[in-house]
Amino acid sequence: MVTIPIGHGLIVAGILFILGLVGVLTRRNIVFILLSLEIMLNAAGLAFVVAGSRWQQPDGQIMFFFILTMAAAEVSVGLALVLQLHQRFKTLDADAASNMHG
Amino acid sequence: MANFPFYFTAAIAILATLLVVTRLNAVHALLYLIVSLIAVAMIFFLLGAPFVAALEVIIYAGAIMVLFVFVIMMLNLGHQSVEQEHVWYSPRAWAGPSVIAVLLLAEFILIIARHGGATTSANEIGPRATGIALFSTYLLGVELSSMLLLAGLVGAYHLGRRHQPYESVKGEP
C-alpha cells in the first residue's frame, strides 16, 4: 500500500496545465487550440482527483465528473464552430476570424 | 521506490503532452493526446480512483477524441484525401504513440500481476462511495450537467448546419 505525495501529484497537474496554456497561447490553428484546452481541463481535473485522494473524500472525483461533462459540451460546440470557420474562410487560422462584420 | 509507477506514468503523460503541443500535423497530435489521456487515467488508477480512471478512458480517450477525428476527417474531404491518409498513417506517425502505449500497457500488466487487480493506493475511493455521493449530495449538479449537455447538443446542431446565404433565409416568413 503506497501513498503518493500530494505535492508531486499537484506538480504533475501544474506541468500539464502549463503545457496546455502554452499550446493555447502559441498555436494559431484552431484545432490545436481546442486540443490544448482539453489538456488544460484534464490537468485541472487531475488536481481535483489528487486532492480528493489525499483527504479520502469522493468529492474530488465528482468534480472531475462535472469537468468531464463540461468538456464534452464545450468540445461539441467548439468543433461545430471549427466547421463553420472552415466553411466561411477556407482556413483553420484563428486570426482569420478576428474581424467582426457588424 | 514503491512510488516508481507513479513517476514513470507522470513522465509519460508529460512527454506525450509536450509532443501534442509541438506537433504540426493534427492527426499526429491526436494520437499523442490519446496516449497522454490514457497515462492520466493510469495516474488516477494509481491514486486510488478506479471509477474516474475508467471514465477517462471511455469518455475522454474514447468519445471526445473520436469527435476530433471525425471533424478533422470532414475538413479534409475536398482535397486529395487518399494521399493525405498515406502521409498521416505512415509507420513513422504511429510508431511513437504505440511505443509509449506499449510501455503503459506493460506497466499496467505488471501492477495487476503483482497486486491482483486491486489499486495499490492506501486511500482508495471506490465506485460505490463515488456513486453514493454523486446521487445524494451532488444530485442537483447531476441535473444541471444533464441540462448543460442538452444545451451543448442543441448548440452544436445549430452551429453545425451548412451556412446558407443571408438572402435565401430572408425570404422566409
Side-chain angles (χ1 to χ4, degrees), chain B residues 48-172:
Chain B
F51 176 62
V52 164
L55 274 187
E56 171 101 3
V57 172
I58 295 170
I59 298 180
Y60 248 119
I64 295 182
M65 290 305 117
V66 164
L67 260 185
F68 268 100
V69 172
F70 271 154
V71 167
I72 290 172
M73 295 295 152
M74 276 175 76
L75 292 181
N76 221 61
L77 276 182
H79 316 302
Q80 306 87 352
S81 337
V82 180
E83 288 174 31
Q84 191 63 266
E85 302 272 312
H86 272 300
V87 179
W88 279 353
Y89 295 113
S90 64
R92 277 184 56 231
W94 53 259
S98 19
V99 165
I100 305 179
V102 164
L103 281 178
L104 275 177
L105 180 67
E107 184 197 353
F108 191 55
I109 290 174
L110 203 70
I111 288 175
I112 284 190
R114 193 172 292 172
H115 299 276
T119 55
T120 57
S121 174
N123 34 14
E124 176 183 352
I125 305 157
R128 187 186 172 89
T130 315
I132 288 174
L134 192 61
F135 288 105
S136 59
T137 320
Y138 291 95
L139 188 61
L140 186 64
V142 174
E143 297 291 336
L144 285 176
S145 58
S146 77
M147 274 180 218
L148 176 69
L149 282 178
L150 181 66
L153 175 71
V154 174
Y157 173 71
H158 176 74
L159 288 170
R161 286 178 314 172
R162 293 272 153 197
H163 171 58
Q164 291 168 336
Y166 183 59
E167 288 74 24
S168 68
V169 179
K170 206 166 54 177
E172 293 169 10

Side-chain angles (χ1 to χ4, degrees), chain A residues 1-5 8-13 15-24 26-27 29-43 45-84 86-88 92, chain B residues 2-3 6-7 10 13-15 17-18 20-27 29-30 33 36-37 40 43-44 46-52 55-56 59-60 64-65 67-68 71-72 74-76 79 115 119-127 129-130 133-134 137-138 140-142 145-146 148-149 151-153 155-163:
Chain A
M1 290 291 126
V2 294
T3 46
I4 290 153
H8 297 177
L10 289 179
I11 286 171
V12 172
I15 291 174
L16 289 179
F17 189 88
I18 288 170
L19 282 173
L21 186 65
V22 167
V24 169
T26 55
R27 304 302 294 263
N29 186 323
I30 198 161
V31 173
F32 279 93
I33 294 178
L34 274 177
L35 283 179
S36 305
L37 275 177
E38 287 303 303
I39 295 171
M40 289 165 72
L41 285 173
N42 199 38
L46 176 60
F48 270 115
V49 175
V50 168
S53 163
R54 164 66 180 78
W55 279 283
Q56 305 201 22
Q57 295 294 323
D59 305 62
Q61 296 189 44
I62 287 164
M63 279 303 151
F64 180 82
F65 175 79
F66 290 146
I67 289 176
L68 197 69
T69 317
M70 201 269 290
E74 173 251 336
V75 154
S76 57
V77 173
L79 286 173
L81 281 173
V82 169
L83 286 178
Q84 283 288 330
H86 185 72
Q87 265 178 34
R88 295 195 187 200
L92 289 179
Chain B
N3 276 346
F6 170 74
Y7 296 113
I14 290 168
L15 174 73
T17 310
L18 193 66
V20 172
V21 179
T22 53
R23 286 307 91 176
L24 295 179
N25 193 318
V27 174
L30 266 179
L33 183 57
S36 159
L37 292 175
V40 172
I43 292 179
F44 287 158
L46 292 172
L47 281 169
F51 176 62
V52 164
L55 274 187
E56 171 101 3
I59 298 180
Y60 248 119
I64 295 182
M65 290 305 117
L67 260 185
F68 268 100
V71 167
I72 290 172
M74 276 175 76
L75 292 181
N76 221 61
H79 316 302
H115 299 276
T119 55
T120 57
S121 174
N123 34 14
E124 176 183 352
I125 305 157
T130 315
L134 192 61
T137 320
Y138 291 95
L140 186 64
V142 174
S145 58
S146 77
L148 176 69
L149 282 178
L153 175 71
Y157 173 71
H158 176 74
L159 288 170
R161 286 178 314 172
R162 293 272 153 197
H163 171 58

